[in-house]
Amino acid sequence: MSWRQFVSPVLSSTIISSLLHSLLAFSFLLLGEEYSYSNTNYTLLGLVIETVTQNKVANEIRKRILEPLGMNNTYLEHHEACPEEGHTKKYHWATPPFLKDAGMHPEYKEVPGHPYLIDVSVGNISIEYMAGGLVTCATDLVKFADALGKPGRLLEPEFYKQMFNFHEPQNAKSAVRKYMQGVIVDEHYGKSLYHHWGSTLGYLGFMGFFDLPDGPVSFCFLVNAGIMHAFPNDVGLEDPRSYLPVISAEVLKFFGEELV
């Protein structure tokens, strides 16, 4: 048995059971009333896709997105065949909040000399499904970000407008940032940055693009140490997300943009 198969992949029935548990645990919001990020909604979307197409969501993602964009090193882990080679080891910050919320699998090992850091390479992220179960590389992620920034490349202009339309909730206090349909937009140095973060067990990722006069400029970065449920700042650890302003500035300067 390979190291990546040690923790059994989560089957669809388990995903549905977990989904029902989530639906019972949380209150519902009326459309347009308030903003709250929800992994559960992405899981529901995957099940809707499979019902409508009568096909596995991994096949639909590959046919509609990965193959047209040439993303040849991206896979929905354990929901489709995924090569064994080329994967990094992965780690996670097992801080007190993480241990309280997620617990500690007996096969996860502490990393000597690095407080709180554990090796979670034996695990897999199949439980994340459509909410973060894709394994990818930086090259593929930039291809995706670049396609998002160009109307007609991935989405028809009509759907592009829908995706990048911000619907401000009635409870404006819940909108700490402009979150559109799966994309966040923030201002960095006077420029609009369209982006998204994500963290799962063992991984942290970012992708985004600046909307510049000469066209979109895309960039990404990946870290093989997850912070989900960890709240690293609470125990004096650096949060990798804090480096975004520095990286953004370097990207803009590289393309000759003035920092405001």
Side-chain angles (χ1 to χ4, degrees):
M1 178 179 291
S2 69
W3 59 267
R4 296 184 61 253
Q5 295 173 321
F6 191 93
V7 181
S8 300
V10 177
L11 304 178
S12 296
S13 59
T14 307
I15 289 175
I16 294 173
S17 175
S18 176
L19 173 64
L20 292 174
H21 176 77
S22 297
L23 292 175
L24 292 173
F26 295 98
S27 59
F28 292 89
L29 301 174
L30 295 176
L31 182 64
E33 178 182 25
E34 192 170 330
Y35 162 80
S36 180
Y37 182 84
S38 173
N39 274 352
T40 302
N41 286 346
Y42 286 96
T43 302
L44 277 170
L45 177 61
L47 297 175
V48 168
I49 291 172
E50 292 192 343
T51 300
V52 171
T53 64
Q54 292 296 293
N55 194 11
K56 292 183 178 180
V57 71
N59 295 339
E60 292 297 321
I61 292 172
R62 185 156 301 282
K63 178 177 69 175
R64 297 170 185 267
I65 300 175
L66 304 184
E67 289 180 351
L69 297 183
M71 297 173 63
N72 301 320
N73 295 291
T74 302
Y75 307 88
L76 190 61
E77 189 173 44
H78 284 293
H79 294 276
E80 63 178 335
C82 187
E84 288 291 328
E85 67 278 1
H87 292 269
T88 65
K89 292 179 70 66
K90 56 185 178 180
Y91 304 90
H92 208 92
W93 294 107
T95 60
F98 173 83
L99 295 176
K100 179 182 177 181
D101 291 342
M104 178 79 164
H105 192 281
E107 291 300 318
Y108 296 161
K109 305 300 183 184
E110 296 180 358
V111 178
H114 297 276
Y116 301 112
L117 193 65
I118 57 173
D119 187 332
V120 297
S121 299
V122 295
N124 69 75
I125 55 175
S126 56
I127 185 61
E128 299 294 341
Y129 186 50
M130 283 283 286
L134 284 169
V135 175
T136 189
C137 65
T139 301
D140 277 12
L141 201 53
V142 165
K143 289 179 181 179
F144 183 71
D146 190 58
L148 279 183
K150 297 176 180 177
R153 181 70 178 91
L154 181 62
L155 299 172
E156 295 298 325
E158 177 185 353
F159 292 108
Y160 184 89
K161 290 180 180 178
Q162 291 182 25
M163 183 172 185
F164 289 89
N165 186 19
F166 175 60
H167 301 277
E168 186 171 358
Q170 296 172 14
N171 180 3
K173 291 182 179 179
S174 71
V176 295
R177 54 180 44 178
K178 288 186 177 181
Y179 194 98
M180 296 169 290
Q181 287 57 248
V183 179
I184 302 165
V185 59
D186 291 326
E187 292 297 313
H188 283 248
Y189 306 104
K191 308 294 189 298
S192 294
L193 175 61
Y194 297 84
H195 66 95
H196 208 293
W197 289 95
S199 183
T200 61
L201 181 69
Y203 298 116
L204 171 70
F206 168 90
M207 55 147 256
F209 65 88
F210 278 110
D211 188 16
L212 301 180
D214 292 334
V217 170
S218 306
F219 65 105
C220 75
F221 56 87
L222 302 171
V223 181
N224 62 331
I227 63 171
M228 181 178 64
H229 300 305
F231 303 101
N233 287 339
D234 292 352
V235 292
L237 298 171
E238 279 193 305
D239 188 329
R241 293 174 295 185
S242 65
Y243 290 102
L244 179 58
V246 176
I247 296 173
S248 297
E250 291 303 316
V251 170
L252 290 172
K253 287 190 292 184
F254 181 83
F255 285 94
E257 294 292 326
E258 182 179 353
L259 303 183
V260 179

